[in-house]
Amino acid sequence: MAMKVASPKKVASITEKVWQRVYGNYGSSSSSQYHHNHHHQRRCSYESDDEYEEDDGTIQLMQMGAERTKNVLILMSDTGGGHRASAEAIRDAFRIEFGDEYTVIVKDVWKEYTGWPLNDMERSYKFMVKHVQLWKVAFHSTSPRWIHSCYLAAIAAYYAKEVEAGLMEYKPDIIISVHPLMQHIPLWVLKWQGLQKKVIFVTVITDLNTCHPTWFHPGVNRCYCPSKEVAKRALDDGLEKSQIQVFGLPIRPSFVRAVLCKDDLRKELEMDPDLPTVLLMGGGEGMGPVKKTAKALGESLYDKDQEKPIGQLIIICGRNKNLASTLESEEWKIPVKVRGFETQMEKWMGACDCIITKAGPGTIAEALIRGLPVVLNDYIPGQEKGNVPYVVDNGAGVFTRSPKETARIVAEWFRTKTDELKRMSENALKLAQPEAVFDIVKDIHDLACQRGPLANIPYVFTSSFTSLIE
């Protein structure tokens, strides 16, 4: 609550003028300091002078320590499941760590506010990854900076106003990008608005090793890298060391913080309590050689001499109902469970001893957290190719595209190479970074505290854009 009293007109100091130039007259003082309060939530609190001069010669007395909820806008696109999963993990971590101190909004601003091709990226991406050579050409041909810079500048000339309208609707204090194409245009808009020094902009990279150069923009306050390999790429692409933090890939808190016991999970999921278990993943869309691999495992995990199984199989078919129906109709010699799209993967992973999957970063990160040795059976060219050496070179798994070879490896792990399986499990746990999502949101919070009290940021429409594109 504020009150006004008469005051003689006074000349603002240089410090006050600079403060007003940067933040405007929003009730903030010319000096501020912050500290953390660790009572359930870490909050920024600010102590400031009790007064500042207004144009009418009065002094407005502000309540000390007054705060407002800060708006966080997470920019994502459903081009693959990993971007949304990372965005929602960050949102949930903000809620756990800071409660109502932040309002977190996850949005595909491209789909909601722009036209083609930005509003059609999801469908275009799915088409290209099904025709994998087409995606490979698109990924590598747009990697040179001069090509993607020209491409993005051309798109900005058409859709900058629309992107600006999206930002104006949510009026973010903090913007988090979890997609490689969501750095350049929003940062240009902030520059046009004169808000680069007021709005915190960070990038959270969701590729474990190889990643497209559009992830790296020198204008961000922070670039969160999931691995040292990505951090090196960021440095090579011109980012400063002070901009880079290596925390890991953000995984949803419900997965990370789950307290699991394998025996209890197997009982809950109605699995054989004694047989070692392999988890076969088809991804959200049930893609890849799932059927052939499942049949090969059905043979390799059955001991013909003793006429009994040496392992059991869990198959996740995702949204592919035809695949699930086909596998359910099969006659199996070993215990098999066929599942559709699962929302509690922490339970299924916690009940298993190893996993077969394509080289998607999110699934790999989750498997490492659960200590599961990984058999990688495919990858998308470009961003997923580097995930193979990331797993294999660190001793956490193997790579083969052959369903029969996959089945042979798993059978050996369960039968004669149990020591190798145990060693890979230990390596997986060493490589895991379960606290990454919490480290990321805490660091963003620290950035917000260092920035000082966040006033009502003056988002206004810009009259002209094209002359400011660099």
Side-chain angles (χ1 to χ4, degrees):
M1 185 173 180
M3 60 179 289
K4 292 185 178 181
V5 297
S7 170
K9 194 76 172 179
K10 67 178 180 180
V11 179
S13 68
I14 294 176
T15 303
E16 290 170 334
K17 288 181 178 178
V18 171
W19 185 265
Q20 292 174 4
R21 177 68 173 170
V22 176
Y23 284 97
N25 292 326
Y26 304 119
S28 303
S29 73
S30 60
S31 63
S32 68
Q33 62 183 15
Y34 70 92
H35 66 273
H36 295 303
N37 178 4
H38 291 277
H39 181 63
H40 300 295
Q41 296 176 2
R42 305 191 337 160
R43 301 183 65 89
C44 289
S45 87
Y46 308 96
E47 296 180 4
S48 61
D49 294 343
D50 287 345
E51 58 185 48
Y52 74 92
E53 182 188 5
E54 290 194 328
D55 292 339
D56 61 0
T58 63
I59 295 174
Q60 184 167 347
L61 303 180
M62 301 300 296
Q63 183 178 359
M64 292 179 62
E67 298 181 16
R68 69 171 179 84
T69 300
K70 293 175 277 292
N71 295 328
V72 179
L73 176 62
I74 305 180
L75 301 176
M76 52 73 61
S77 174
D78 285 311
T79 50
H83 303 296
R84 179 175 289 278
S86 293
E88 293 178 348
I90 294 168
R91 177 198 63 196
D92 294 347
F94 263 110
R95 289 175 180 170
I96 291 171
E97 287 293 318
F98 306 111
D100 59 359
E101 186 174 353
Y102 294 92
T103 298
V104 184
I105 307 150
V106 177
K107 283 292 176 179
D108 185 345
V109 174
W110 274 217
K111 183 183 289 186
E112 293 188 22
Y113 287 91
T114 68
W116 188 89
L118 293 181
N119 68 347
D120 198 36
M121 286 199 301
E122 180 182 352
R123 189 180 66 85
S124 299
Y125 177 78
K126 288 180 179 179
F127 176 81
M128 284 192 286
V129 295
K130 286 181 180 179
H131 304 81
V132 70
Q133 291 304 315
L134 184 60
W135 172 251
K136 185 177 181 179
V137 170
F139 184 93
H140 292 291
S141 64
T142 57
S143 290
R145 179 175 293 181
W146 71 271
I147 291 179
H148 65 248
S149 294
C150 291
Y151 171 74
L152 291 167
I155 291 178
Y158 279 97
Y159 295 124
K161 281 287 188 183
E162 286 78 3
V163 175
E164 183 186 39
L167 296 184
M168 286 184 65
E169 178 177 348
Y170 303 110
K171 292 181 171 56
D173 302 290
I174 301 168
I175 298 177
I176 304 171
S177 169
V178 295
H179 193 279
L181 294 181
M182 295 188 175
Q183 276 74 239
H184 296 71
I185 298 177
L187 282 166
W188 279 329
V189 169
L190 292 181
K191 180 179 180 179
W192 300 329
Q193 292 263 1
L195 298 176
Q196 277 185 312
K197 295 185 182 298
K198 299 179 184 178
V199 177
I200 295 168
F201 194 109
V202 304
T203 298
V204 179
I205 296 177
T206 60
D207 294 320
L208 284 173
N209 192 341
T210 43
C211 49
H212 199 274
T214 47
W215 275 114
F216 308 120
H217 193 292
V220 301
N221 297 102
R222 194 79 88 223
C223 180
Y224 297 103
C225 299
S227 66
K228 292 179 180 178
E229 292 84 351
V230 173
K232 185 179 183 303
R233 296 176 192 276
L235 286 171
D236 293 342
D237 223 65
L239 271 71
E240 301 293 333
K241 284 186 178 181
S242 61
Q243 293 176 288
I244 299 169
Q245 288 280 16
V246 181
F247 289 138
L249 196 75
I251 300 300
R252 64 189 185 277
S254 61
F255 187 100
V256 172
R257 295 285 173 89
V259 179
L260 305 172
C261 171
K262 183 174 289 187
D263 292 339
D264 293 341
L265 287 174
R266 290 189 173 185
K267 183 178 180 180
E268 177 185 343
L269 301 173
E270 298 179 341
M271 297 167 57
D272 188 297
D274 301 316
L275 286 175
T277 310
V278 56
L279 178 63
L280 175 57
M281 296 284 294
E285 304 301 323
M287 303 291 289
V290 177
K291 183 178 177 181
K292 290 182 179 180
T293 304
K295 286 188 173 182
L297 287 165
E299 294 296 325
S300 70
L301 297 182
Y302 183 76
D303 190 323
K304 294 179 181 179
D305 295 333
Q306 299 188 33
E307 296 183 343
K308 66 176 185 179
I310 63 169
Q312 58 189 325
L313 172 62
I314 309 297
I315 310 171
I316 306 296
C317 299
R319 299 180 184 86
N320 194 331
K321 294 181 179 180
N322 290 333
L323 174 63
S325 178
T326 299
L327 293 172
E328 285 173 345
S329 65
E330 291 284 333
E331 295 289 335
W332 299 98
K333 299 177 183 178
I334 65 172
V336 174
K337 285 192 176 294
V338 180
R339 309 291 299 182
F341 186 83
E342 281 291 340
T343 58
Q344 292 186 311
M345 283 306 303
E346 64 272 15
K347 291 185 176 182
W348 292 104
M349 285 193 182
C352 293
D353 299 286
C354 63
I355 185 171
I356 303 166
T357 179
K358 82 175 186 69
T363 303
I364 290 174
E366 290 178 347
L368 297 178
I369 290 171
R370 290 286 161 254
L372 296 182
V374 184
V375 180
L376 299 173
N377 60 4
D378 202 3
Y379 61 83
I380 297 173
Q383 74 270 26
E384 288 186 358
K385 184 177 181 179
N387 297 347
V388 175
Y390 180 79
V391 170
V392 175
D393 293 351
N394 284 290
V398 298
F399 172 75
T400 176
R401 281 196 171 100
S402 167
K404 289 185 178 180
E405 179 70 7
T406 297
R408 182 192 66 78
I409 291 170
V410 173
E412 287 183 348
W413 281 349
F414 289 176
R415 194 190 301 246
T416 61
K417 295 186 177 181
T418 54
D419 288 345
E420 181 179 299
L421 184 68
K422 182 181 179 181
R423 184 173 65 254
M424 286 191 170
S425 176
E426 292 170 351
N427 291 337
L429 289 172
K430 290 177 184 176
L431 197 57
Q433 294 171 298
E435 293 299 308
V437 69
F438 296 103
D439 292 337
I440 288 170
V441 300
K442 289 174 184 176
D443 191 67
I444 294 172
H445 175 76
D446 289 343
L447 286 175
C449 291
Q450 293 166 19
R451 182 61 54 92
L454 297 172
N456 293 317
I457 294 176
Y459 284 92
V460 295
F461 277 116
T462 308
S463 59
S464 177
F465 295 100
T466 54
S467 62
L468 292 171
I469 298 176
E470 296 180 351

